[in-house]
Amino acid sequence: MDAPPGSAAAEPSVPRNGFGITAAVLGTVGLVFAFIPFVGVIAWPLVLVGLVFGVLGLVRVARGRADNRGTALTGTVLCVIGLMLCVVQTLLFERVVSRVPPPMQYSQVRPAAGTPADAGLVVLRGDQRVASAAAPRS
């Protein structure tokens, strides 16, 4: 039988599942972006925010305010894996970039040894000396 209107009948509270679902969605999208070079920068904020939501979702499950422990745990794990991929991608990118030699500057262009300064420019490329088109030919 229904309670009469105006009585203090307690309504059952429906557990909120938003944090766990948000963590799962952000973790999935962040994990996909983490695999794409240069676009993986987008994954950083996604997995970090998703990780926060996943932990909050697990806390809500532990307090009995949510019933989606599996979804919150899955989102948290996906975010942790995505974060690890982002860190690895950043370290690999830094390692590759640090091995690239700096670009040749104009100050590195010098006349060849033993030639007068007005003989034309000589462009140094590695160990070879290549005369420019303005240099007189002998």
Side-chain angles (χ1 to χ4, degrees), residues 43-104:
W44 280 98
L46 295 176
V47 296
L48 289 174
V49 171
L51 187 62
V52 170
F53 277 117
V55 170
L56 289 174
L58 290 173
V59 168
R60 290 184 68 88
V61 168
R63 291 183 181 169
R65 295 182 181 167
D67 60 357
N68 63 336
R69 184 178 193 281
T71 307
L73 186 61
T74 301
T76 304
V77 169
L78 287 174
C79 289
V80 167
I81 293 171
L83 186 61
M84 290 188 317
L85 282 172
C86 287
V87 169
V88 167
Q89 184 183 36
T90 303
L91 292 175
L92 288 175
F93 181 75
E94 186 275 329
R95 189 172 186 181
V96 168
V97 169
S98 68
R99 291 184 179 187
V100 174
M104 193 164 116

